[in-house]
Amino acid sequence: MGIQKMKTILHGLKDIIDTEFNLIDDSGYILHSTDFNRIGSYDRHVSALDFSSSFIIEFEGYIYCYSHHQEERCIISIKGIDADNRRLAKIIEVFIGAKDMGFSRNEFLKGILLNTISDPSLETLCLKHDINPKGSVRLLAVEATEELMGNLQEILTALLGDPIVQIKSNTYAVINRNDDKDIAHPAYLSDVLATELLYKVKIGIGASVENVKDWHFSLRTAETLIELGKVFLPEQNTYTFKDLAIPMLTSGLPPQELSYLMKHFNCSIDKIISNNELLVTARGFFKNNLNITDTSRSLYLHRNTLIYRLNKIQEITGFDLRNFNDALLFNIMINGHQSLKLT
Amino acid sequence: MAGLSLKGINKLYPNGFHAVKDLDLEIGDKEFIILVGPSGCGKSTSLRMIAGLEEISSGELYIDDTLVNDVAPKDRDIAMVFQNYALYPHMTVYENMAFGLKLQKKSREEIKERIDIAAKILNIAALLNRKPKELSGGQRQRVALGRAIVREPKIFLMDEPLSNLDAKLRLQMRSELNKLHKNLQTTFIYVTHDQTEALTMGTRIVVMNEGVVQQVAEPQTIFEKPANLFVAGFIGSPQMNFINCSIHEEAGSIYADFNNHRLLFPTDKAQLIKAKNYVGKEVIIGIRPNHIHAIAEADFPYESCCLKGTVEVKELLGTETHLHIKADQLEFICVVKPSLEVQVGVNIEIAMNMDKCHVFDKETEMAVF
């Protein structure tokens, strides 16, 4: 419902009920009023109104009804607090509500996820759309190709039952409540999607957040993880913070500073990157928490072979991966090298 | 039904990780081929390249003589079964099996026909109206297989499909998959890190390590004639025992010397060592635990191949007992009969059946025999 239409309705109401109605914007500016003298002036009460828990507020002799639309937020005020005007305010709320329902749940969710709804009453609006604004939620970004989007949506809906919103032509956002469902586990999702779609669907797992206002942040991190994952861990299909924390840090550094850092250590990291055997060994060693026994078992290397290779890495780079600090720096160097290649 | 040909296949990721190197492999129609190797050896990547889920960096992949490098996975006529086989929780078994076909816009009649056939093969016809939560682990796994079967693919690609099952169920499913392969008469390519699965299921095994194929052969050959030290160690449980030795000739006989011990090679093996010029060289002897015997149980001439050691661990497995024996600085595992009365900490004399030993070049780690 547009502002112009609301003006017409207010004008019509004046002929039925002899009271003052005002149409006011967020700043308190009176856009329209049945009292023509008030049009163009400011209602100073508006800044004091908090609509986060209710859309109808009684204040200083007026009843204020809040109307929300994605890009058009306004307030209708009715002069006089009595039973008739309260009833009238309720009726207006019904009309406004009807208008809001026209703004679909899906569009509303999309607005939240893309952070285009910056509204103080977001939580109340969520309840109107039957969305729980609180509780632990993580956003999954699921990327496929445009032609697979229809099937992808069907599978995600059938599998998870979580709300799904298309945020790009090739990406869905899944609003996933953390309830330890096995099927919501990234590995399950990835395998099921690959089985059904025969396509390497990429999944980014955003940070867990507690309030609807942070959902967009969780989604943004999920999308960033996919972008970084394609470069740093291309052999994987699902990406979490844990996998990509260091690439996130190195990619976030200005190239000049990163380049300076790399030069400072002067550790011939490119020699490791071009040596597949040593690269695989280092990655396996990190994956197994710097544990010699677990790494040699996992890579099926003799313990002495593993130690020989770790010594070789130390010889080339100066970093002894058995030492935590050296392992961390080595990891930063490997990822920094890759980050610099991107710039 | 289809055969595959992989020619010089490589997978090199942009981050420099060379996952698969020069993979050459011919897979015959209706074969049940197993790709086996440790974590990160390139087996899953190879399977995914066959599926089309990973791009091939270089090399050629043929399915039935057609080059498919640039063919989309959905057009390769394959079906995949993964380790994680989540079923749609709110759908019945029938609906779960029908789901993929509905996405392919198959007719209701065709879907029903395919599901009926698959359900009969898998013996799950009575379960079609049940929801996943009403099924046992094995039944769920069969439904997951059913979802692949109804696609009627030319090739089944399976990536560690039994890894999430408990040991008992895994054993049962192994034999069910073997039966399924016989019934379907279709090409199966199966990835596992479990060498027991590889030995019991495949018609041929491809052993991989660090992105490179180590050996391709029938299970028996892989076990009895490992091509190199890696295959010898990876295949077989308990693992093969290895001894670093030097080879010497004395009075016409060939001996392996180590840690003040001496083992005599039988004549045929001695001739091979001589013929291949290994006299005077360092080698690694490999001997499987079931070919090391307690003297009391040895049924072969053992006088020139004995060692004394101490029993460090005794593992009773019912049909056999594994003894972990320390002799000087070396550790051996040997398999003895459960009836052998021996306790941890006691000294024991063991004999190596040198007729069954393997010898590997110490530098190249390739098998001498």
Side-chain angles (χ1 to χ4, degrees):
Chain A
M1 193 186 293
I3 297 284
Q4 196 54 44
K5 206 164 185 179
M6 290 180 81
K7 284 180 185 175
T8 311
I9 290 170
L10 291 191
H11 200 72
L13 281 172
K14 183 181 177 276
D15 293 339
I16 303 164
I17 304 158
D18 187 18
T19 191
E20 180 191 316
F21 292 96
N22 304 295
L23 183 62
I24 309 165
D25 76 6
D26 269 353
S27 67
Y29 181 79
I30 299 175
L31 299 161
H32 187 70
S33 176
T34 50
D35 176 357
F36 287 107
N37 293 328
R38 297 201 69 192
I39 296 172
S41 63
Y42 278 88
D43 183 333
R44 303 293 171 196
H45 299 150
V46 166
S47 59
L49 303 175
D50 177 7
F51 290 103
S52 61
S53 53
S54 169
F55 288 122
I56 298 176
I57 293 174
E58 296 174 3
F59 192 73
E60 299 286 335
Y62 280 85
I63 301 174
Y64 292 88
C65 307
Y66 184 67
S67 163
H68 173 275
H69 194 277
Q70 191 175 15
E71 282 159 0
E72 294 174 17
R73 282 182 286 275
C74 62
I75 298 157
I76 296 164
S77 68
I78 308 163
K79 190 176 182 182
I81 300 173
D82 57 30
D84 282 347
N85 282 355
R86 283 190 182 115
R87 202 158 39 241
L88 189 58
K90 287 276 180 200
I91 292 166
I92 289 171
E93 193 194 18
V94 169
F95 274 96
I96 291 168
K99 178 200 74 179
D100 279 347
M101 293 316 281
F103 178 44
S104 77
R105 186 173 189 264
N106 205 50
E107 286 171 35
F108 178 66
L109 282 171
K110 192 171 175 179
I112 294 172
L113 297 178
L114 299 180
N115 202 23
T116 56
I117 304 175
S118 53
D119 195 288
S121 60
L122 191 56
E123 289 184 19
T124 316
L125 286 168
C126 282
L127 296 175
K128 285 186 75 175
H129 283 284
D130 198 24
I131 297 163
N132 179 2
K134 291 187 175 158
S136 185
V137 164
R138 61 181 183 175
L139 266 293
L140 314 184
V142 186
E143 186 189 289
T145 60
E146 284 184 38
E147 57 268 30
L148 290 177
M149 292 303 273
N151 287 350
L152 178 58
Q153 186 184 19
E154 280 197 48
I155 296 165
L156 289 172
T157 307
L159 203 59
L160 299 173
D162 289 323
I164 293 156
V165 182
Q166 186 166 358
I167 49 162
K168 282 184 194 161
S169 60
N170 66 342
T171 309
Y172 280 111
V174 179
I175 302 164
N176 180 230
R177 299 254 162 210
N178 291 348
D179 56 4
D180 293 329
K181 279 185 290 196
D182 269 354
I183 50 171
H185 191 280
Y188 274 85
L189 262 185
S190 173
D191 279 2
V192 173
L193 293 174
T195 307
E196 295 287 16
L197 298 173
L198 290 174
Y199 181 78
K200 196 166 79 166
V201 176
K202 294 284 184 184
I203 303 168
I205 317 288
S208 283
V209 291
E210 296 295 328
N211 191 289
V212 65
K213 286 170 187 164
D214 297 321
W215 287 6
H216 72 93
F217 165 74
S218 180
L219 177 61
R220 208 172 62 222
T221 53
E223 288 181 279
T224 307
L225 288 172
I226 290 180
E227 292 314 312
L228 285 174
K230 282 181 195 169
V231 177
F232 288 90
L233 296 171
E235 67 277 19
Q236 281 186 209
N237 297 324
T238 59
Y239 305 109
T240 63
F241 264 124
K242 206 178 166 188
D243 301 324
L244 290 161
I246 291 177
M248 275 187 119
L249 289 174
T250 53
S251 309
L253 280 175
Q256 249 183 333
E257 282 184 31
L258 182 58
S259 183
Y260 176 76
L261 184 76
M262 302 289 291
K263 274 184 193 154
H264 176 77
F265 283 100
N266 189 25
C267 60
S268 310
I269 204 73
D270 48 329
K271 283 186 186 165
I272 300 292
I273 288 167
S274 61
N275 185 329
N276 204 53
E277 196 174 84
L278 296 182
L279 188 65
V280 169
T281 304
R283 289 168 63 142
F285 194 51
F286 294 145
K287 209 173 171 183
N288 288 284
N289 297 317
L290 315 186
N291 183 310
I292 298 265
T293 307
D294 290 352
T295 309
S296 52
R297 192 179 298 129
S298 155
L299 297 180
Y300 203 77
L301 284 178
H302 191 279
R303 200 181 164 82
N304 292 345
T305 309
L306 175 61
I307 290 167
Y308 168 79
R309 289 187 189 177
L310 293 175
N311 290 341
K312 188 90 183 160
I313 289 171
Q314 187 177 8
E315 198 180 292
I316 293 170
T317 65
F319 293 123
D320 179 1
L321 303 193
R322 287 155 285 202
N323 174 307
F324 174 76
N325 280 338
D326 279 13
L328 182 62
L329 282 170
F330 177 90
N331 218 334
I332 290 170
M333 292 298 113
I334 289 273
N335 287 293
H337 184 274
Q338 195 70 19
S339 297
L340 279 179
K341 267 173 67 182
L342 290 177
T343 56
Chain B
M1 288 163 282
L4 287 93
S5 180
L6 292 86
K7 295 184 175 169
I9 300 274
N10 279 278
K11 181 66 194 178
L12 182 63
Y13 286 105
N15 62 359
F17 177 48
H18 201 161
V20 178
K21 297 169 196 165
D22 297 323
L23 173 59
D24 288 306
L25 184 63
E26 296 291 328
I27 301 173
D29 184 22
K30 300 175 194 172
E31 256 205 280
F32 192 154
I33 199 144
I34 311 273
L35 307 184
V36 66
S39 168
C41 73
K43 55 191 187 298
S44 285
T45 309
S46 302
L47 190 81
R48 283 169 177 267
M49 283 194 285
I50 292 169
L53 295 176
E54 292 286 354
E55 268 182 40
I56 294 169
S57 305
S58 66
E60 293 172 340
L61 170 65
Y62 293 87
I63 297 179
D64 276 346
D65 301 326
T66 306
L67 184 67
V68 295
N69 285 39
D70 298 321
V71 174
K74 65 182 173 55
D75 300 323
R76 293 190 185 190
D77 214 348
I78 54 160
M80 292 202 73
V81 182
F82 287 96
Q83 176 179 348
N84 302 300
Y85 56 90
L87 303 178
Y88 302 107
H90 306 297
M91 294 183 188
T92 62
V93 168
Y94 184 94
E95 288 163 340
N96 261 284
M97 289 168 72
F99 192 81
L101 298 177
K102 280 183 186 165
L103 293 180
Q104 290 177 12
K105 315 276 184 241
K106 300 287 181 201
S107 72
R108 189 185 299 182
E109 294 74 25
E110 189 175 357
I111 291 173
K112 187 179 180 315
E113 192 182 331
R114 289 193 188 192
I115 291 176
D116 285 345
I117 293 168
K120 202 174 167 189
I121 291 169
L122 293 163
N123 199 20
I124 53 171
L127 309 175
L128 290 176
N129 291 322
R130 291 200 194 164
K131 294 267 178 71
K133 66 180 176 191
E134 299 170 88
L135 304 177
S136 68
Q139 287 168 336
R140 282 183 205 173
Q141 178 63 283
R142 268 185 259 165
V143 176
L145 287 169
R147 290 205 307 212
I149 292 170
V150 294
R151 287 172 181 258
E152 296 183 352
K154 284 199 288 191
I155 305 163
F156 282 90
L157 304 175
M158 303 188 182
D159 194 352
E160 310 232 14
L162 308 184
S163 293
N164 279 354
L165 304 181
D166 62 52
K168 193 176 169 189
L169 198 50
R170 207 157 52 228
L171 192 72
Q172 183 192 328
M173 286 307 297
R174 282 211 303 254
S175 66
E176 296 217 6
L177 279 172
N178 271 329
K179 281 184 213 158
L180 188 65
H181 175 247
K182 283 194 186 86
N183 285 339
L184 291 174
Q185 291 288 300
T186 309
T187 311
F188 275 36
I189 305 174
Y190 187 103
V191 161
T192 181
H193 66 277
D194 181 339
Q195 52 90 28
T196 313
E197 260 178 36
L199 285 171
T200 52
M201 292 170 76
T203 48
R204 275 195 308 155
I205 297 174
V206 180
V207 185
M208 294 184 76
N209 188 34
E210 296 188 337
V212 179
V213 170
Q214 304 292 315
Q215 189 173 7
V216 183
E218 290 172 1
Q220 196 70 18
T221 308
I222 294 269
F223 186 77
E224 289 179 354
K225 292 179 182 170
N228 57 33
L229 196 67
F230 173 81
V231 177
F234 189 76
I235 299 290
S237 179
Q239 195 190 344
M240 186 182 278
N241 298 285
F242 295 112
I243 313 165
N244 285 303
C245 307
S246 54
I247 305 279
H248 293 112
E249 185 172 10
E250 205 173 290
S253 296
I254 302 290
Y255 296 94
D257 292 330
F258 62 99
N259 292 17
N260 300 320
H261 296 287
R262 171 163 274 199
L263 301 173
L264 174 68
F265 282 104
T267 314
D268 56 336
K269 299 221 184 279
Q271 279 170 353
L272 276 172
I273 287 170
K274 276 191 201 173
K276 294 189 178 185
N277 292 324
Y278 274 91
V279 175
K281 289 187 180 169
E282 300 281 316
V283 297
I284 298 168
I285 286 184
I287 188 153
R288 296 215 178 268
N290 55 322
H291 296 137
I292 300 180
H293 301 260
I295 291 291
E297 289 182 349
D299 56 356
F300 54 91
Y302 54 79
E303 290 73 22
S304 307
C305 51
C306 292
L307 276 177
K308 282 179 183 161
T310 309
V311 178
E312 295 218 310
V313 177
K314 181 181 176 183
E315 295 173 325
L316 292 164
L317 300 177
T319 53
E320 62 188 34
T321 297
H322 296 173
L323 300 181
H324 295 240
I325 292 161
K326 193 157 190 177
D328 291 338
Q329 297 305 309
L330 296 169
E331 288 174 15
F332 298 97
I333 299 180
C334 75
V335 178
V336 296
K337 289 175 186 161
S339 54
L340 184 76
E341 285 186 16
V342 61
Q343 300 306 321
V344 172
V346 302
N347 291 330
I348 186 169
E349 197 167 6
I350 52 173
M352 316 274 183
N353 187 348
M354 294 299 282
D355 273 327
K356 305 287 185 185
C357 79
H358 303 259
V359 172
F360 302 94
D361 184 295
K362 197 168 181 183
E363 283 197 1
T364 64
E365 298 188 349
M366 298 304 290
V368 178
F369 53 78

